[in-house]
Amino acid sequence: LHCFACIICSRQLATGDEFYLMEDGRLVCKEDYETAKQNDDSEAGAKRPRTTITAKQLETLKNAYKNSPKPARHVREQLSSETGLDMRVVQV
C-alpha cells in the first residue's frame, strides 16, 4: 500500500519490515526511529527539565532552612517526603 511508508525517509514498508506507529497514527521505519531516539537521548542527557516548586513546597523549604541553614541528611529526607520533591532538589 502506498500509505504504508515511513514519514521520514518515505521508504515503502514491505511485509516483515519493523516499524513504529507514532501517537498521531503515522508510521516510521525502525532505522529512522532508532536514529531519532538516539538524537533525543543525547539531547536529553545535556539538559534536565526544571523542577516546578509550588508555593506550599517553597514555604516548607524556607521554614526548614530558616531553622537550619545546613540540615542533616535525615532532615532533608524528611523534607523530601513531606514536599514530594527529589532529595537533590531539596539539597540544592
Side-chain angles (χ1 to χ4, degrees):
L1 295 173
H2 176 67
C3 62
F4 207 65
C6 176
I7 60 168
I8 296 174
C9 67
S10 301
R11 184 172 65 85
Q12 194 73 29
L13 298 172
T15 303
D17 285 347
E18 292 185 46
F19 66 92
Y20 291 85
L21 185 62
M22 306 305 285
E23 291 177 359
D24 59 4
R26 298 184 301 167
L27 300 173
V28 178
C29 67
K30 182 179 179 180
E31 294 79 18
D32 287 334
Y33 178 82
E34 289 177 348
T35 301
K37 186 175 180 188
Q38 285 176 345
N39 291 341
D40 287 347
D41 289 346
S42 64
E43 290 173 9
K47 287 188 175 182
R48 290 184 311 203
R50 285 184 169 258
T51 302
T52 304
I53 300 176
T54 65
K56 185 176 180 181
Q57 290 170 328
L58 184 59
E59 183 180 344
T60 303
L61 291 172
K62 281 185 176 182
N63 288 335
Y65 277 88
K66 188 188 306 180
N67 294 335
S68 175
K70 293 185 177 183
R73 180 177 178 84
H74 72 280
V75 175
R76 293 193 314 268
E77 288 173 348
Q78 183 180 359
L79 283 170
S80 177
S81 65
E82 285 178 17
T83 60
L85 296 169
D86 187 66
M87 278 281 294
R88 182 71 179 147
V89 174
V90 170
Q91 183 177 359
V92 172

